Amino acid sequence: MAPILGLAEIVLWVHDLDRALHFYRDVLGLEPINPPDHPHPVFLQAGPPQAGVPQLVVLVRLPEDAPPFSAPRALHHLALTVAPEDFDPLRERLERQGYTLRGGQHPVLPSRTMYVDDPEGNEVEIICRA
């Protein structure tokens, strides 16, 4: 069996692409990497390449008539890693912008964590080493 080297992408369905893009690009700072002639879906780099493949969050717009999401959803949460020195400034920025943050304790890793919901209701964990 081939060893897994990392996680290449998380793909999220979104009803409101503009709001989701604002959250992931403007609030969390993920960089869009789409070429100009291929604007959709939106590929956002979420970390340095692993084995030459960037780590991505991909936003795919649902059709206009798609029903709202309902619980329970298939995705429990996604986690994004930040440097320890960036954790508090990001927490403060999220709070200033009106996001409700939740704390938590990772059950296995010595870390600092916070949780925030994206505009589509997906739980996003922000984690750094303790």
Side-chain angles (χ1 to χ4, degrees):
M1 178 162 44
I4 300 298
L5 298 176
L7 185 63
E9 62 186 25
I10 297 288
V11 180
L12 300 173
W13 289 110
V14 298
H15 290 94
D16 188 330
L17 183 60
D18 292 334
R19 283 186 52 195
L21 182 57
H22 170 75
F23 177 79
Y24 286 100
R25 179 191 60 204
D26 304 329
V27 175
L28 296 183
L30 278 61
E31 180 182 348
I33 64 167
N34 287 57
D37 61 335
H38 190 79
H40 300 290
V42 178
F43 292 84
L44 299 146
Q45 188 163 340
Q50 300 291 328
V53 177
Q55 299 171 63
L56 302 171
V57 172
V58 183
L59 305 176
V60 179
R61 183 188 339 240
L62 284 164
E64 292 290 326
D65 60 347
F69 295 121
S70 61
R73 294 174 59 179
L75 176 70
H76 184 280
H77 75 275
L78 63 109
L80 301 171
T81 307
V82 297
E85 62 270 16
D86 294 330
F87 188 87
D88 288 327
L90 178 57
R91 179 180 46 78
E92 292 164 7
R93 186 168 72 236
L94 288 163
E95 287 174 338
R96 275 194 315 273
Q97 293 188 26
Y99 289 95
T100 301
L101 303 178
R102 299 175 298 282
Q105 179 68 38
H106 197 282
V108 177
L109 303 173
S111 60
R112 296 178 68 199
T113 62
M114 63 179 153
Y115 297 84
V116 61
D117 292 338
D118 76 6
E120 295 287 338
N122 294 301
E123 184 175 67
V124 179
E125 177 183 7
I126 307 296
I127 185 169
C128 72
R129 67 174 159 42

